[in-house]
Amino acid sequence: MSEATTVPDVRLEEVVKEFGDVRAVDGISLEVPRGSFFALLGPSGCGKTTTLRMIGGFEEATSGRIFLGDRDVVGLPPYKRDVNTVFQSYALFPHMTVADNVAFGLHRKGIAKGEARSRVAEILELVDLGGRENRKPRQLSGGQQQRVALARAIVCNPRVLLLDEPLGALDLKLRKQMQLELKRIQNEVGITFVHVTHDQEEAMTMADTIAVMNNGRIEQLGTPAELYERPRTAFVAGFLGKSNLLDGTIAGDGLVRLADGSELRVHTNGTSGPVSVGVRPEKISLANGGVNRLTGRVKESAYIGVATELVVATTVGELTVFHQNVEAGGVAPGIGSDVTLSWAPEATFVVDPGDRADRADRGEEQAI
Ligand code: ATP
């Protein structure tokens, strides 16, 4: 690989941002590889927008360094950075046509009219707006306006595109459709996207890499599958999908002992002492085939179409189980039934018990 392709498009080193006595961003370091789709994911107030705004130059870091490629951009105004931003409010010029909105940046850069026209046509095809060049923004739907904003941001071919909750104003169905569209567009243009969202499903659908943020820090950074299958903290386990977390203690290599003395085989990651041991609801089967087993009684049952969501009370706490409705007419065990729950050691993870309090504080305690 050549030197140029190994330099990340965005690099943050120990970046801090304070607003008075609020530490919005508390020492973030990360790298965004060239051409990738990167998501900053976290709850409201975790510092993701501030991080994005510092990359764009709309906010100055209190300390730390920010690089775009190998250029240190701290102190540079937004227009001197090779980035463009798409905001939730599309900020289109209402009196201009779609084509003129998209061409705006090209004209400012002094690109010749003929070339600008063909670039605009090409980019409007890409965002599926061919034939709508002469409409005004108010003659378009919300989703179409967002595509114009996207086209306008990528037409000048920036090194990095920053997206600040760009789908937030769209209804759920359109948002899901646009998630796949955005991913396709990013693939086609190959520009690095840095996307801010509080929606875990959105981040998982689109991003190659996700940085999960909490209280101004990165809790964990990885691919969607890594974060989901191997969360390293209770916060990550609870923020991406549902998790069951049980109190236990490491009792040996790959072994956790629960409060009632029963043992579970796990990936211990070299941890020792007290832990929370986790398993996802869909990894639990209502049969005794798996190595890890608990018995309990069904306390709640909710039919949700693809699955029946059961809450099973065991001696070590309540577990949520998704019983897949695989067979037509298949029935899940009813309330009051005694069941054996089992799952594989590979589906079992351990996290530090220390951050369980934090999870409960936020009212996000799940199945225990
Ligand atoms: P949201 O999803 O709600 O936008 P966020 O994760 O993007 O949240 P930020 O907007 O980055 O969070 O805000 C992080 C923290 O910094 C919050 O506590 C916020 O109140 C504070 N903050 C952000 N901007 C300012 C500002 N200009 N002045 C003072 N405090 C600010």
Side-chain angles (χ1 to χ4, degrees):
M1 225 188 270
S2 75
E3 178 64 19
T5 54
T6 56
V7 175
D9 264 349
V10 181
R11 182 152 59 93
L12 268 51
E13 282 180 8
E14 285 300 321
V15 172
V16 171
K17 178 66 187 179
E18 287 167 352
F19 296 104
D21 52 10
V22 176
R23 202 167 239 242
V25 174
D26 190 14
I28 281 191
S29 299
L30 58 82
E31 289 187 354
V32 182
R34 172 128 249 196
S36 64
F37 201 130
F38 189 94
L40 290 167
L41 171 70
S44 182
C46 72
K48 51 196 189 301
T49 301
T50 304
T51 304
L52 196 80
R53 289 174 60 79
M54 287 191 286
I55 299 171
F58 302 106
E59 219 59 89
E60 275 306 332
T62 307
S63 64
R65 309 218 296 167
I66 299 175
F67 295 86
L68 291 174
D70 41 24
R71 188 169 188 209
D72 185 343
V73 294
V74 169
L76 280 187
Y79 67 91
K80 288 199 174 158
R81 301 187 184 198
D82 195 3
V83 298
N84 229 329
T85 309
V86 179
F87 298 100
Q88 184 174 333
S89 59
Y90 319 129
L92 299 175
F93 301 116
H95 58 286
M96 286 190 190
T97 63
V98 165
D100 288 342
N101 263 285
V102 176
F104 187 77
L106 294 173
H107 292 327
R108 271 218 321 207
K109 278 191 157 184
I111 308 279
K113 272 208 167 125
E115 194 194 333
R117 206 172 304 126
S118 69
R119 294 248 305 256
V120 168
E122 198 182 314
I123 224 85
L124 285 177
E125 279 302 321
L126 178 80
V127 299
D128 220 12
L129 281 177
R132 292 191 168 81
E133 295 74 359
N134 296 320
R135 295 225 185 150
K136 297 278 174 61
R138 70 183 140 75
Q139 298 170 306
L140 299 174
S141 70
Q144 289 168 336
Q145 290 183 35
Q146 186 54 282
R147 285 163 207 254
V148 178
L150 187 66
R152 188 179 56 178
I154 55 185
V155 75
C156 292
N157 203 24
R159 177 186 276 274
V160 179
L161 189 70
L162 306 175
L163 302 114
D164 190 2
E165 301 261 9
L167 310 181
L170 306 177
D171 67 46
L172 185 65
K173 193 162 170 228
L174 195 52
R175 199 155 76 214
K176 292 211 173 274
Q177 194 185 323
M178 279 298 289
Q179 288 168 6
L180 298 173
E181 279 281 284
L182 264 181
K183 179 83 188 149
R184 173 188 64 80
I185 292 166
Q186 191 269 339
N187 256 322
E188 284 185 29
V189 294
I191 295 173
T192 301
F193 279 25
V194 181
H195 180 107
V196 157
T197 180
H198 63 273
D199 179 339
Q200 52 105 6
E201 218 176 287
E202 181 165 306
M204 289 180 83
T205 305
M206 295 193 286
D208 303 308
T209 310
I210 301 174
V212 182
M213 291 185 63
N214 185 24
N215 289 330
R217 303 190 69 90
I218 295 178
E219 287 257 339
Q220 191 173 349
L221 191 148
T223 64
E226 281 164 0
L227 297 171
Y228 189 80
E229 303 287 337
R230 292 272 164 263
R232 281 207 296 267
T233 67
F235 177 83
V236 174
F239 198 74
L240 279 95
K242 277 199 177 186
S243 277
N244 294 296
L245 290 173
L246 307 166
D247 288 329
T249 309
I250 301 284
D253 191 22
L255 199 66
V256 171
R257 185 165 301 122
L258 302 179
D260 69 346
S262 54
E263 290 178 340
L264 298 176
R265 293 250 150 227
V266 298
H267 262 277
T268 45
N269 300 333
T271 351
S272 60
V275 290
S276 285
V277 51
V279 58
R280 299 284 186 184
E282 75 281 8
K283 303 277 203 279
I284 302 175
S285 123
L286 290 173
N288 55 12
V291 169
N292 288 332
R293 274 178 224 167
L294 289 173
T295 53
R297 183 164 290 172
V298 177
K299 193 181 153 197
E300 288 170 36
S301 171
Y303 180 77
I304 49 170
V306 291
T308 300
E309 183 172 344
L310 303 171
V311 176
V312 177
T314 74
T315 50
V316 288
E318 290 175 2
L319 281 89
T320 299
V321 179
F322 293 152
H323 178 67
Q324 299 298 318
N325 291 329
V326 180
E327 284 166 36
V331 191
I335 293 173
S337 309
D338 288 323
V339 290
T340 299
L341 309 178
S342 78
W343 65 94
E346 296 73 32
T348 321
F349 55 85
V350 290
V351 295
D352 191 343
D355 39 30
R356 299 194 68 196
D358 165 43
R359 193 162 37 100
D361 282 351
R362 297 191 331 271
E364 287 176 22
E365 187 84 32
Q366 299 218 343
I368 291 296

